[in-house]
Amino acid sequence: MPACKTPDWVRDALNERRAHNLLRRVRPITPPQSTHVSIAGENFVSFCSNDYLGLANHPDLKQVMADAAIKWGVGSGASHLVTGHLDIHVELETALSDWLGFERILLFSTGYMANLAVVSALGSKQRPVVMDKLNHASLIDGARLSEAPFRRYLHNDIDSAAKLMQRFDSPGVLATDGVFSMDGDVAPVAELAQLARQNNWLFVVDDAHGLGCIGEDGRGVLAEQGCTAEDVPFLVGTFGKAFGVAGAFVACSEDMANYLTQFARPYIYTTAMPPAVAATVLASLEIIRSSEGYARRARLADNIAMFRERAKRWPFDVMFSNSAIQPILIGDSALAMRVSKQLESARILCTAIRPPTVPPNTARLRVTLSAEHSPADVMHLCDTLDLIFNDECK
Ligand SMILES: *Cc1c(COP(=O)(O)O)cnc(C)c1O
């Protein structure tokens, strides 16, 4: 195949990553995405997807998507502001408003873009952005795009957040993940909301990993901490995780939604999500709010409890988390890779997460649990880790 000559700086950057055991690569999984997946014809139990409720391969949702595609076609054809804003989008927005208690919802094709949109439109040279050090990359990139003065406070540390905010003369934007994607712990959202309100700052919560999984009715970290749209004026959620589909939203007030519609470039200059995706997300929301959703959350909680009980005997800490994300803190990148490879030899998939995704010397195995894992699946993972850790720590 013809290819351009690789510049030295590209080769050097790749070699540098390789030398530190940090080279990232993709590999194809044979669909469907599930707790049991196949790679090149071999079967694995997977503990690394974000399909926390096991909805990505749900028979009813598959039917909804197929039917919607037959009825409405496969593409939305344009951006929301041109002719891409369809009835089914409005229906989904209304259902989300009703579920979460926000005046308005804006839909996005990915959570990455939702975060870029909200932070880049709210931050500016006059309105600084302050956020948790461990926030998702898309919130950080939103701040960069805004050209706002930008500071990050110590993880989940209210005093550190308050100190950084006080350094600025004018109010700005405070942002945090709800459930942190690489640690699985939860932000003190109620306290941060109070801090933001006292200082007249806007407040953004990205609850990509909490929505659907925690809080009453699966309404995430806001419900869990008794917060409403008054405390948290901007809530970002995604449909690619617990919802099992794809896409994202920003929930906010009527005026703020109008503002974002004028000024948030990642909302304006992109094609609206396909109608079949919107229909499937809507059906997924119905499951999440139903007794089936409740039962799935209960099964997930049982798996988490079982895993954490077994983890007590390991020589590595499992990070403090009651969410589906249960990282085992290994520290050394090479060791984390070795454990991940040994799990793979035992037909278990569990990704090692290494710097720069996480801070130096905090390489970890990011175990994610799903309602779809059987107790036997979780036991199998724990038994195998017993053996590997015994061997590695002799
Ligand atoms: C996954 C994730 C996103 C990005 O969502 P996508 O829909 O996958 O682009 C944003 N924020 C957090 C905290 C996430 O974990």
Side-chain angles (χ1 to χ4, degrees):
M1 227 172 282
C4 74
K5 183 174 173 313
T6 308
D8 287 344
W9 59 269
V10 171
R11 212 182 291 273
D12 292 349
L14 289 174
N15 284 337
E16 164 93 17
R17 281 281 168 98
R18 216 171 266 128
H20 291 92
N21 279 309
L22 297 176
L23 193 69
R24 313 181 208 231
R25 42 174 88 246
V26 294
R27 75 177 161 177
I29 304 274
T30 307
Q33 180 63 260
S34 171
T35 50
H36 294 254
V37 299
S38 150
I39 302 176
E42 303 220 47
N43 296 323
F44 295 84
V45 192
S46 166
F47 289 92
C48 35
S49 104
N50 301 322
D51 180 23
Y52 304 130
L53 297 179
L55 297 178
N57 192 35
H58 193 289
D60 296 353
L61 297 180
K62 291 198 279 192
Q63 193 62 54
V64 168
M65 189 180 263
D67 290 348
I70 297 294
K71 208 156 109 192
W72 294 321
V74 293
S76 66
S79 65
H80 283 282
L81 283 166
V82 182
T83 55
H85 194 59
L86 309 172
D87 291 343
I88 186 67
H89 292 138
V90 178
E91 220 179 301
L92 174 58
E93 288 170 359
T94 308
L96 288 164
S97 283
D98 172 62
W99 182 45
L100 296 167
F102 279 77
E103 281 178 4
R104 281 281 303 279
I105 300 286
L106 296 182
L107 297 176
F108 292 83
S109 289
T110 73
Y112 190 98
M113 288 176 52
N115 279 331
L116 273 194
V118 69
V119 181
S120 72
L122 298 178
S124 73
K125 291 196 171 111
Q126 295 75 39
R127 283 187 305 275
V129 176
V130 168
M131 66 173 67
D132 192 290
K133 232 183 161 66
L134 300 188
N135 272 1
H136 192 264
S138 51
L139 288 163
I140 295 168
D141 293 355
R144 288 181 179 156
L145 190 59
S146 75
E147 298 183 53
F150 175 39
R151 293 283 179 280
R152 297 195 289 163
Y153 58 86
L154 298 174
H155 178 50
N156 278 349
D157 187 326
I158 301 278
D159 292 337
S160 171
K163 276 204 194 99
L164 290 185
M165 286 160 66
Q166 276 154 19
R167 288 202 198 159
F168 297 103
D169 300 330
S170 53
V173 185
L174 180 67
T176 184
D177 282 15
V179 172
F180 285 84
S181 42
M182 294 300 141
D183 293 57
D185 57 345
V186 172
V189 169
E191 288 169 81
L192 288 167
Q194 197 182 12
L195 178 68
R197 195 140 53 153
Q198 279 164 356
N199 292 280
N200 203 24
W201 280 48
L202 293 171
F203 184 37
V204 179
V205 174
D206 169 9
D207 203 15
H209 299 279
L211 283 165
C213 291
I214 61 173
E216 196 194 341
D217 214 13
R219 280 185 287 113
V221 68
L222 269 62
E224 203 176 61
Q225 299 188 22
C227 295
T228 67
E230 236 181 310
D231 310 301
V232 180
F234 296 90
L235 173 66
V236 177
T238 70
F239 305 134
K241 288 165 180 154
F243 277 74
V245 194
F249 70 86
V250 174
C252 57
S253 70
E254 177 76 33
D255 284 344
M256 286 300 185
N258 285 333
Y259 182 83
L260 293 179
T261 304
Q262 317 308 312
F263 299 109
R265 296 163 66 86
Y267 182 74
I268 301 165
Y269 296 105
T270 191
T271 303
M273 70 166 60
V277 171
T280 314
V281 170
L282 181 59
S284 181
L285 174 60
E286 278 160 17
I287 292 179
I288 285 170
R289 299 184 74 176
S290 72
S291 57
E292 180 184 345
Y294 184 88
R296 282 176 183 269
R297 281 190 287 282
R299 288 214 302 275
L300 175 60
D302 288 346
N303 285 340
I304 293 166
M306 189 192 303
F307 177 83
R308 289 194 71 84
E309 183 55 38
R310 280 289 300 268
K312 286 179 185 161
R313 46 171 107 155
W314 296 333
F316 301 101
D317 286 336
V318 170
M319 300 173 81
F320 182 76
S321 159
N322 290 319
S323 72
I325 304 164
Q326 294 287 330
I328 307 172
L329 195 55
I330 305 280
D332 179 59
S333 289
L335 179 56
M337 283 301 283
R338 218 155 54 228
V339 176
S340 174
K341 288 232 169 75
Q342 289 181 64
L343 282 171
E344 203 171 309
S345 311
R347 297 284 171 268
I348 292 173
L349 286 187
C350 181
T351 342
I353 306 277
R354 298 162 287 167
T357 304
V358 293
N361 303 314
T362 68
R364 64 201 64 180
L365 285 174
R366 182 173 179 270
V367 176
T368 58
L369 297 167
S370 165
E372 222 34 38
H373 284 123
S374 69
D377 290 335
V378 180
M379 279 302 151
H380 177 49
L381 169 69
C382 295
D383 291 344
T384 312
L385 281 171
D386 280 350
L387 293 175
I388 294 172
F389 289 155
N390 262 333
D391 208 36
E392 283 287 347
C393 302
K394 260 196 303 250

